[in-house]
Amino acid sequence: MITLAILDTSTLGEDMDLGFFQQLGEIRLYSATPPHLVEERIEDCDVVILNKVRLDETNLPAARRLKLICVTATGYDNIDTAYCKAHGIGVCNVQGYSTHSVAQLTLAMVLSLSCHLPQYHQYTVSGQYTQSGRHNCLTPVFHELYGKTWGVLGYGAIGRQVGRTAEAMGCRVLACKRQKTPEAECVSLEELCRESDILTIHTPLTPETKGMIGRQELEWMKPSVILVNGARGAVWDEEAVADAVERGTVGGLGCDVYSAEPMAQDHPFQRIAPLPNVCLTPHMAWGAYEARVRCMEEVAENIRAFYKGELRNRVEG
């Protein structure tokens, strides 16, 4: 019988029913796996399922029976794929499951930052609206998205869905990606930064994209720009972004991802978290209920395909 272990079920949501994995073999569930317990928990497993736990040359040698690693995400930078390839360990990710969830959260952040919804909500529920004697309140000033330029950095499945959403709001959409596509008006990174009223980031983390939004790129941007990162925290220079927000050279900031998660006490964004033009969330954009169900179903299909000798969502090497 196949032995499977899920190393960090808490990252999948407490509402997920993982019992269907029992159809595939003996399943071991761990809410979280700290680094010092990884070797012990993978040493006699055939399949390891994980989200954020790191597997590399420091712990993988302990996994004598390991044949397959399944990542419950699209990104797999926490897996040493070179080691896996050299030792015949398959690696599978899941693609496309969170496209609508991330696009929805991206739009929600942009709308909240552009319309100042938290401030208007607080004005209303605090009693200020009732006490004002006025029919309405129009400060802080907000603007329509219609007619604005929305830049999309990274134009994969999520970026395209965000682009379609932006077009539906009446925005001109610019895209920046490695290979130009006729689907979008593709521009250089500099032009994207200079032209965008809204700029949302959806590129995967690679050696080429790490830190690609730094001080120079932030200087190119309009001081009114709404900047949202739903990709990976290391895609931008977090200290530089925090500095730009403090200086007032970024109009609104939304972020769901951080270079180290959870966000540390000394993270630069802790300084700007209280500001009204900042919206920070705990890496939840991917996790609408429907997206998580879709993800788990895809993981199960990856395992079935592997044991049939099929190549499905393989990423190693």
Side-chain angles (χ1 to χ4, degrees), residues 206-264:
T206 67
E208 292 74 29
T209 64
K210 184 176 182 179
M212 70 185 304
I213 299 295
R215 296 187 185 277
Q216 177 60 76
E217 289 74 21
L218 289 161
E219 289 178 6
W220 287 333
M221 295 181 195
K222 300 176 182 180
S224 59
V225 69
I226 292 175
L227 180 61
V228 172
N229 186 356
R232 285 289 187 268
V235 167
W236 61 15
D237 180 336
E238 293 168 319
E239 183 67 45
V241 171
D243 288 347
V245 172
E246 288 177 316
R247 293 196 312 271
T249 56
V250 166
L253 181 75
C255 185
D256 184 55
V257 288
Y258 310 92
S259 57
E261 295 175 344
M263 182 169 60

Side-chain angles (χ1 to χ4, degrees), residues 115-116 119-120 123 134 136-142:
C115 296
H116 310 292
Q119 295 94 303
Y120 280 115
Y123 178 83
R134 297 196 306 270
N136 60 22
C137 173
L138 294 174
T139 52
V141 175
F142 68 98

